[in-house]
Amino acid sequence: MEFEISGDELVRKVEELSGQNIFSCYQCGICTGSCPFAAEMDLGPRRMIASLIEGRAEVLQSNTPWVCASCFQCVVRCPNDIDIAAVSEALRQMTQRRGIDHIDLSHIPAEERKRIPQIAFVGNFRRMTR
Amino acid sequence: MSVEPRIGVYICHCGTNIADTVDVQQTTKFARGLDGVAISKDLMYACSGPSQQEIMMDIREQKLDRVVIAACTPRMHEPTFRAVLEQAGLNKYLLEFVNIREHVSWVHDEKDAATEKAIDLVRMGVARARLLQRYKEKEIPVGEEVLVLGGGISGIQAALELADADYHVHIVEKEPFLGGVMAQLGLTYPTLDCSTCILAPKLSQVERHPRIEILANTSVESVEGYVGNFAVTVSQKARFVTDACTSCDKCTEVCPVTIPNEFDEGLSKRKAIFKTFPQAVPAAYAIDFDACLNKTNLLVCERCMDVCEPQAINFEMIQQSTKKLDIDTIIIATGAKPYDPSLIAEYGYGRYHNVITTIDLERIYAPTSPTGGDIIRPSDRAAPKKIGYIQCVGSRKSNPALHQHPYCSRICCMISIKQALVIKSKIPDAQITIYYIDIRAYGKGYEELYERARRVGIRFIRGLPGEIRENADKSVTFIGEDALLGEMYAERYDLAVLSVGLEAQDDSRDISSLLGVARDTDGFFIERHPKLEPVDAPTTGIFLAGTAAGPKDIRESSTQAKAAASRASQLMRRGVFQKEALTAEIMEERCTGCKECEKVCPYHAISVDGVAHVTGALCAGCGICAAACPEDAIDMRHYTDAQIIAQIDAALAERPTEKVIVFTSYWCSYSGADMAGTARIKYAPNARIIRLLCCGRVKPEFALRSLEKGAAGVLMATCHPGECHYDRGDQEARTQYELLKETLREVGIDESRLAMEGVSAAEGKRFAEVINQLASKVAALDPIPAVKLAMARQKLQEHKKDLQRVI
């Protein structure tokens, strides 16, 4: 897949969306070591940040931000005060803004749509869009 | 002034340091047009030998009677140029130093704005220089009595150096025995020699030395005075055991009280009568009175007395006695303490049986340990076969919630490496893994020790565990990510060792306020200059040794202690100290004898007997009295009202509404601004900084004058509450600030124009923040109507006379 975004632009965008300075990371690994879902992730939070520091746009294809449950364990323990969950959220937003939807409202039968709570819809758009 | 002054102005390029951002030529040309300026020159390096010669020649040939140097911070080169003036026959108080490097070129990017600021600062400097006067300095005799605060390795080393050089040393130690943290250690890196073996000879040298007085169980109550003249009151807790004690140890056998032994980090028990280790000094045992059954002052238990053959135990000693010492110089060697990791819940220290710290392990394997030096784990006292270390516990973390520290503690890498080698030698089949972020083996012989550890098979894994879990058999499992392989680990260990860092002592704040020596944001005492005066406290006659000034190992502590001793002896060998002539002057004809000045003076330098009198030797020149005087009857030498007002007016000569006047204290916020420069932290270029010794000097009229001249805002950048170099300047600044704030409110002037913020000498970032805050707050405000300002001045006069301080 082609990335229309340069490394510098990616970093600038993630920092803008998340409000975090990813360059303060010294790669201690406490985040991945603390992550309850690390085993399910291709990169894990530490390598997600490392990829960003190196400006690798492939990070947009990683499953890590999508597996992230926003439990904030890494945020609480990060020695450099980086809100890693906010960085994950920034990467999710960047994908969402590209308009790639895996959930199409029109494919859900009208009957079901009535039964599904609003919040589940919203949650699905945010989580399952890739 | 009857005769027009002849001022020489010199603007320094500092290579490219200043010239890159400030148009030096334009600034030099501008200065040439100012009143009283005879010559104005730019110099590539003003501090270089040829430049100094040039200035001296100009002074003689051009008959200059004032000099303005615009260069770096006066903390760096003011003494240099004062010496230049004196060599050329000018009084050193006729120099004005303008800071256009730390306060301008290093903190602004935009050349026009930086040049405008430099021009303003030079204009302010010339305006002040016109009013400078010559003063004669006082010589203060300095005797030969030294107070060493703290009896750890740093205090011991400094004390021995000075006593061997024939000075009289008083060591004050709050614990009953000397030795500090070093006494607790087993072996020391990088040579792996036994800590007690190298410390004990030093201790006995201290005890035998005819010129060292050991005051153990003692703390400092108060310190007054100045170099050559410190009046120190110490308070000593009774030991209840006299020097007759022969250390036969019979008392501890019969003492019925058993409590956790803090010397062994609570891993063993001790009695109420005790000695920490056999070679401890003072040699006499001590009774821990809080634990002793006789603490109610009734002799309910006398078993120790019964068995004591030399009759060394005496319960009639006065529990707390005070003693006054006349001291000439002081060395602060109060040390640091290991970080308590129980706050980091995920590592389970204090909850899991087999999670210990490196300091705990020192007590387990030390020759004087309760196990006799065998390495065991707490849960079952078995020898651990698999041991995991975690580095940087409590260090290098900017997570303030857990009281962790942003700095590297410098000793933890080497302690872990050392311990790993020790364990390996005692338990050859032990498997040891050290989890780290970066290994810092920076000293002589340190990298070699790291290499040795790798060669004997110690594993180093990059990536700290996220957490430790305790298993049913009391073993522990580290869960984390190997950052080099990018793989998760879950590894079981018999014993987990947390490599804890050092942090400031709990009482460092008290010591700081007793001695008026500021601390950095981490609680360590600050040096006069971080690189060039690394053992001098900012206050003359006070020196720093060891970990009180920041984490250090034994070698570095010894180095600093010996350097501090050398600095102290330099002062005492000369026998006199030239005291700066910066004292208060009373205008007797205005004085009403109201005593407000006497009340606020932190040095008891003012006595009122009809009118106020100043004792010059006691006066530190802070100017708190001058601000407090309701009659404007006190002026400060070298920081006169007229000079400060001239600076304000000059700063606001052009486009005043865009500018902010900042009053700074030399010891804290001024140095904080320097720190912003050193760290190249950018901030709004409209601040015009006025250097005072203390913001307690700021009369509300100075701030009001700034507003009258059109300033957008005024900032009083003080120290943090309770950290004043002059003890209570921050309180007086607060009083004046509140007074003016209330006045502004009364007449309807937006009070957000006036701000007061604490900035310590280490807080460059904070200095930039408070400037930016005020600059953005006042940017949009409309000019103040003149009628309101006139009302404010009138009201202020009334309020000032009503102010009655209760101190």
Side-chain angles (χ1 to χ4, degrees):
Chain A
M1 182 179 162
E2 283 291 307
F3 298 100
E4 316 86 56
I5 192 163
S6 73
D8 286 352
E9 181 65 5
L10 170 75
V11 169
R12 196 193 59 73
K13 202 115 198 207
V14 167
E15 290 199 332
E16 185 188 308
L17 288 170
S18 66
Q20 302 302 306
N21 182 351
I22 54 166
F23 289 92
S24 64
C25 173
Y26 55 36
Q27 295 283 306
C28 67
I30 286 180
C31 48
T32 304
S34 303
C35 179
F37 282 105
E40 306 299 321
M41 294 172 172
D42 48 4
L43 295 177
R46 179 188 63 80
R47 287 170 71 197
M48 177 180 82
I49 302 281
S51 307
L52 282 168
I53 288 173
E54 293 192 17
R56 297 190 175 191
E58 301 97 282
V59 71
L60 285 167
Q61 274 189 315
S62 159
N63 77 356
T64 300
W66 302 95
V67 175
C68 168
S70 297
C71 74
F72 284 76
Q73 188 79 297
C74 56
V75 182
V76 171
R77 292 181 184 168
C78 174
N80 292 306
D81 253 349
I82 303 174
D83 188 337
I84 303 156
V87 174
S88 283
E89 172 64 9
L91 288 170
R92 289 197 293 265
Q93 283 180 20
M94 285 175 71
T95 301
Q96 285 170 334
R97 287 175 189 187
R98 285 151 49 119
I100 309 166
D101 286 346
H102 276 212
I103 295 190
D104 190 338
L105 213 54
S106 61
H107 290 170
I108 302 174
E111 262 313 291
E112 297 232 342
R113 252 183 281 161
K114 273 186 201 153
R115 285 195 3 247
I116 297 172
Q118 189 78 8
I119 195 155
F121 267 126
V122 177
N124 264 306
F125 286 128
R126 297 191 59 74
R127 289 265 156 219
M128 309 305 285
T129 301
R130 248 196 93 197
Chain B
M1 200 167 294
S2 51
V3 189
E4 184 64 8
R6 290 186 56 78
I7 304 172
V9 179
Y10 297 89
I11 319 278
C12 182
H13 289 250
C14 194
T16 55
N17 277 308
I18 292 170
D20 262 0
T21 4
V22 170
D23 187 334
V24 174
Q25 312 290 353
Q26 194 192 334
T27 311
T28 311
K29 211 173 124 199
F30 171 83
R32 217 164 277 149
L34 291 169
D35 282 350
V37 173
I39 54 169
S40 172
K41 290 182 174 176
D42 61 306
L43 298 168
M44 187 48 75
Y45 286 104
C47 57
S48 67
S51 294
Q52 293 186 31
Q53 289 298 331
E54 188 178 340
I55 295 170
M56 276 190 259
M57 226 159 67
D58 286 348
I59 293 173
R60 293 199 191 98
E61 290 176 3
Q62 306 275 332
K63 307 225 173 326
L64 301 180
D65 58 8
R66 307 271 193 288
V67 173
V68 174
I69 306 281
C72 51
T73 168
R75 290 158 63 88
M76 195 87 82
H77 273 309
E78 195 169 56
T80 311
F81 292 99
R82 283 184 159 185
V84 167
L85 261 68
E86 290 202 309
Q87 243 184 301
L90 266 189
N91 184 277
K92 69 180 191 183
Y93 290 98
L94 298 173
L95 170 75
E96 167 65 2
F97 209 93
V98 178
N99 185 345
I100 57 168
R101 193 179 74 178
E102 279 81 349
H103 291 188
V104 183
S105 67
W106 281 354
V107 288
H108 306 308
D109 286 327
E110 218 267 304
K111 198 156 183 175
D112 287 344
T115 305
E116 188 190 337
K117 185 171 175 184
I119 283 178
D120 271 1
L121 293 183
V122 168
R123 189 194 339 243
M124 291 159 69
V126 170
R128 177 162 189 265
R130 290 174 61 86
L131 302 171
L132 289 175
Q133 292 165 35
R134 53 178 63 79
Y135 300 109
K136 226 183 127 185
E137 295 195 328
K138 239 189 155 66
E139 290 199 331
I140 294 171
V142 181
E144 303 190 336
E145 302 291 319
V146 191
L147 175 69
V148 174
L149 280 179
I153 186 60
S154 305
I156 289 168
Q157 291 283 61
L160 283 173
E161 286 295 308
L162 287 163
D164 283 346
D166 286 351
Y167 299 106
H168 295 105
V169 183
H170 311 264
I171 302 182
V172 167
E173 168 60 51
K174 67 180 173 190
E175 301 295 332
F177 300 97
L178 305 186
V181 177
M182 185 175 170
Q184 290 182 280
L185 305 181
L187 304 186
T188 56
Y189 66 77
T191 42
L192 304 191
D193 38 4
C194 144
S195 184
T196 318
C197 311
I198 55 176
L199 178 65
K202 294 272 172 198
L203 286 169
S204 68
Q205 242 180 306
V206 167
E207 187 165 45
R208 278 185 282 111
H209 210 296
R211 285 180 298 280
I212 296 182
E213 179 193 22
I214 302 173
L215 294 160
N217 251 344
T218 304
S219 52
V220 176
E221 293 272 287
S222 72
V223 179
E224 274 164 30
Y226 46 87
V227 58
N229 231 324
F230 290 111
V232 179
T233 310
V234 297
S235 142
Q236 187 166 34
K237 281 195 288 184
R239 194 174 194 89
F240 301 108
V241 182
T242 68
D243 294 346
C245 171
T246 57
S247 300
C248 70
D249 204 36
K250 285 187 179 142
C251 50
T252 63
E253 287 163 21
V254 296
C255 178
V257 181
T258 306
I259 58 166
N261 186 353
E262 55 285 82
F263 187 74
D264 284 335
E265 297 293 326
L267 295 166
S268 71
K269 300 272 172 33
R270 69 160 167 85
K271 297 299 182 69
I273 185 163
F274 73 110
K275 189 167 173 174
T276 44
F277 59 105
Q279 302 92 328
V281 162
Y285 277 52
I287 290 177
D288 177 351
F289 206 53
D290 293 333
C292 178
L293 296 176
N294 296 333
K295 68 179 164 208
T296 51
N297 274 339
L298 289 171
L299 206 56
V300 295
C301 169
E302 46 192 76
R303 286 177 223 192
C304 54
M305 286 173 80
D306 291 344
V307 297
C308 184
E309 276 159 26
Q311 300 190 324
I313 296 165
N314 174 8
F315 279 105
E316 321 243 291
M317 284 185 185
I318 300 161
Q319 274 189 44
Q320 195 98 20
S321 55
T322 58
K323 184 170 177 175
K324 287 197 190 305
L325 303 169
D326 287 327
I327 296 296
D328 297 288
T329 57
I330 298 176
I331 292 179
I332 303 179
T334 46
K337 67 177 180 38
Y339 175 76
D340 172 9
S342 57
L343 293 162
I344 306 173
E346 57 266 32
Y347 289 164
Y349 182 75
R351 283 188 297 129
Y352 300 158
H353 293 77
N354 291 320
V355 177
I356 63 172
T357 68
T358 39
I359 300 294
D360 295 337
L361 193 74
E362 291 293 326
R363 287 318 302 153
I364 291 174
Y365 84 81
T368 55
S369 104
T371 70
D374 291 339
I375 293 175
I376 56 165
R377 65 174 192 170
S379 70
D380 53 7
R381 300 180 168 256
K385 295 284 184 215
K386 240 187 121 181
I387 299 137
Y389 276 84
I390 303 178
Q391 294 307 117
C392 299
V393 176
S395 309
R396 305 181 66 201
K397 312 276 160 68
S398 62
N399 195 333
L402 301 175
H403 300 283
Q404 306 191 73
H405 305 292
Y407 52 81
C408 165
S409 287
R410 303 168 66 92
I411 57 167
C412 338
C413 285
M414 293 313 296
I415 290 181
S416 297
I417 290 169
K418 170 194 76 177
Q419 290 188 352
L421 284 164
V422 172
I423 296 170
K424 204 75 185 153
S425 72
K426 296 203 179 213
I427 312 172
D429 59 341
Q431 213 191 86
I432 305 161
T433 307
I434 296 179
Y435 293 87
Y436 71 101
I437 315 173
D438 304 285
I439 290 290
R440 291 176 177 172
Y442 58 90
K444 188 174 171 182
Y446 293 8
E447 184 64 31
E448 290 84 338
L449 203 69
Y450 177 25
E451 193 208 350
R452 206 169 122 194
R454 295 196 308 274
R455 279 177 187 275
V456 301
I458 314 285
R459 289 195 305 164
F460 288 83
I461 293 184
R462 198 182 184 287
L464 297 186
E467 60 194 73
I468 297 178
R469 286 186 194 157
E470 188 174 59
N471 305 315
D473 64 352
K474 305 291 182 225
S475 67
V476 288
T477 298
F478 289 13
I479 297 161
E481 186 205 14
D482 182 322
L484 295 180
L485 294 176
E487 287 169 9
M488 300 292 292
Y489 57 75
E491 190 93 14
R492 194 201 60 79
Y493 290 99
D494 298 332
L495 179 68
V497 187
L498 307 181
S499 198
V500 290
L502 289 175
E503 63 185 11
Q505 293 279 15
D506 294 330
D507 60 359
S508 74
R509 197 194 182 96
D510 303 335
I511 305 277
S512 163
S513 57
L514 276 174
L515 294 169
V517 175
R519 298 177 310 153
D520 60 24
T521 42
D522 303 316
F524 296 108
F525 296 104
I526 61 167
E527 307 92 344
R528 183 174 291 174
H529 187 282
K531 289 180 285 258
L532 303 179
E533 301 284 1
V535 306
D536 289 42
T539 312
T540 305
I542 302 182
F543 304 94
L544 306 172
T547 52
K552 283 179 196 69
D553 62 17
I554 296 167
R555 186 215 307 265
E556 292 167 324
S557 295
S558 290
T559 309
Q560 199 185 15
K562 293 189 172 211
S566 155
R567 293 285 296 141
S569 70
Q570 188 185 38
L571 259 178
M572 295 186 290
R573 178 64 33 105
R574 287 186 62 197
V576 288
F577 169 70
Q578 291 231 324
K579 190 186 174 298
E580 290 200 309
L582 315 172
T583 54
E585 273 184 314
I586 311 281
M587 286 163 266
E588 292 188 5
E589 67 283 2
R590 284 200 194 165
C591 178
T592 59
C594 74
K595 295 197 177 183
E596 287 299 306
C597 53
E598 195 185 84
K599 275 196 254 172
V600 298
C601 178
Y603 303 99
H604 309 292
I606 303 186
S607 54
V608 179
D609 148 32
V611 291
H613 300 282
V614 176
T615 311
L618 286 174
C619 177
C622 61
I624 300 173
C625 57
C629 178
E631 306 295 335
D632 292 316
I634 305 180
D635 209 350
M636 299 308 300
R637 292 174 157 203
H638 205 55
Y639 289 92
T640 65
D641 282 10
Q643 288 166 359
I644 296 167
I645 287 168
Q647 279 175 287
I648 295 169
D649 293 358
L652 301 169
E654 277 176 51
R655 297 198 283 165
T657 54
E658 293 169 17
K659 289 166 192 170
V660 171
I661 299 289
V662 184
F663 295 104
T664 56
S665 311
Y666 187 60
W667 307 103
C668 47
S669 55
Y670 188 90
S671 307
D674 281 355
M675 202 54 97
T678 314
R680 312 293 198 279
I681 300 167
K682 314 290 175 200
Y683 55 86
N686 59 348
R688 297 295 175 261
I689 297 170
I690 294 181
R691 159 160 72 128
L692 300 170
L693 289 178
C694 174
C695 266
R697 167 75 178 100
V698 179
K699 290 184 174 185
E701 286 90 339
F702 298 159
L704 193 55
R705 173 82 171 200
S706 310
L707 295 179
E708 285 167 352
K709 289 283 169 182
V714 179
L715 173 67
M716 291 164 71
T718 62
C719 60
H720 288 291
E723 292 183 359
C724 181
H725 182 78
Y726 300 101
D727 191 38
R728 50 174 324 281
D730 56 321
Q731 295 168 40
E732 184 58 28
R734 172 68 57 188
T735 306
Q736 303 291 0
Y737 166 78
E738 299 288 355
L739 185 77
L740 184 57
K741 204 104 182 152
E742 193 191 319
T743 310
L744 295 181
R745 213 176 299 141
E746 272 177 359
V747 302
I749 295 175
D750 191 331
E751 55 185 293
S752 67
R753 287 182 190 272
L754 178 66
M756 175 169 157
E757 297 286 350
V759 179
S760 82
E763 292 177 324
K765 200 172 144 209
R766 180 159 165 78
F767 185 83
E769 281 165 8
V770 300
I771 296 286
N772 285 339
Q773 256 168 36
L774 181 66
S776 65
K777 222 188 295 175
V778 298
L781 295 179
D782 293 326
I784 310 169
V787 56
K788 282 191 178 175
L789 284 165
M791 273 163 65
R793 189 160 272 269
Q794 199 192 334
K795 287 260 185 226
L796 185 63
Q797 286 308 321
E798 292 165 16
H799 290 328
K800 245 182 106 167
K801 307 235 179 208
D802 294 342
L803 204 60
Q804 293 262 336
R805 289 168 186 76
V806 185
I807 290 156

